[in-house]
Amino acid sequence: MHKNIVVAVDGPAGSGKSSVSKEVAKRAGLQYIDSGALYRAITLYVLTNCGEDFTQDDVSRLLNDIRLKQFFNDDGSCTTYCNGVDVSEKIRNETVATHIGKISDIVVVREYVNSLMRNWAKDHSIIVDGRDIGTVVFPDADIKIYLDATVEERALRRAKEYAQKGKNIDVNELKVQIARRDQQDINRPYGALRIAQDAIYIDTSAMTQQEVIDYMYSLVCDRIHSNYRT
Ligand code: CDP
Ligand code: CDP
């Protein structure tokens, strides 16, 4: 008999959380949960129903109407549904990015997303990435990982991503954006980016993505095997 495990992965933007977590999930047979996508889906729903001049009351009211689901597919992608509609692509737009900070700072929104993820964890072994997963959402997670990398390295990674999509974005501009984002993530009132005391800290600046995946996979396997033994 083995119990479900929870792997919490936190870290700043561009540290590799989502790409690495999805690969580890595929290899270890865990469900991957993208907490950022849940905040994005709520933001999209609010914008669609109220436009950009929404109030906190609008958001609280709309939460009663939202039904979110997320599926981790065999090909390693993650699909997010809002009231039965696949919003996985739409939630990545610029308007959502502009307003997500305001929405994800609202306490009732955070409580809503957190309880959704805790419910999902009752039935599955999961790996969840975000900012406050090991500190707030799953303080008793079986494994807590904090992925990090220098601002320079994260800007280079993002620049490469853009280049693959045919867009040439200046690395220095990306560095400024990432540093600004880090400050917002660290200084927000709720759900701030913190390193949990019992987290395994991995500086990925000089590691390939494959090296990070292999290391995290080995940590997960050790934990699963020790659960079988106890
Ligand atoms: O989810 P998060 O914002 O933390 O990062 P990501 O979207 O998973 O990774 C950002 C980019 O860095 C992706 O293009 C990854 O393929 C790349 N990456 C890398 O080059 N080396 C690593 N060790 C981890 C990620
Ligand atoms: O854009 P990026 O991949 O870095 O972020 P994301 O994981 O898609 O999350 C988008 C935004 O949602 C973040 O910038 C945070 O404002 C918010 N978020 C949060 O507040 N708490 C989390 N656990 C995850 C995301």
Side-chain angles (χ1 to χ4, degrees), residues 82-135:
C82 182
N83 294 355
V85 179
D86 179 353
V87 293
S88 316
E89 292 292 323
K90 251 186 150 178
I91 57 175
R92 306 277 155 201
N93 76 33
E94 278 307 311
T95 325
V96 168
T98 305
H99 293 280
I100 193 165
K102 203 169 141 199
I103 289 191
S104 58
D105 270 351
I106 302 173
V107 178
V108 286
V109 171
R110 301 207 73 83
E111 283 169 352
Y112 177 92
V113 170
N114 293 350
S115 70
L116 203 61
M117 294 193 287
R118 288 176 190 135
N119 270 330
W120 290 342
K122 287 179 189 160
D123 301 326
H124 304 282
S125 282
I126 57 169
I127 182 163
V128 194
D129 82 327
R131 305 292 191 285
D132 59 343
I133 307 301
T135 49

Side-chain angles (χ1 to χ4, degrees), residues 13-14 94 150-164 167-182:
E94 278 307 311
T150 60
V151 173
E152 288 74 17
E153 173 59 25
R154 288 183 283 136
L156 283 171
R157 290 177 186 175
R158 286 283 189 235
K160 231 188 244 174
E161 268 181 352
Y162 282 118
Q164 278 161 5
K167 290 186 197 166
N168 246 332
I169 311 277
D170 178 42
V171 179
N172 284 322
E173 174 56 27
L174 287 170
K175 259 169 67 176
V176 172
Q177 282 177 18
I178 287 178
R180 195 185 308 133
R181 184 81 173 280
D182 286 354

Side-chain angles (χ1 to χ4, degrees), residues 11-20 129 153 157-158 160-161 204 207-209 212:
S15 57
K17 299 180 298 295
S18 60
S19 52
V20 166
D129 82 327
E153 173 59 25
R157 290 177 186 175
R158 286 283 189 235
K160 231 188 244 174
E161 268 181 352
T204 69
M207 291 171 83
T208 65
Q209 189 165 315
V212 184

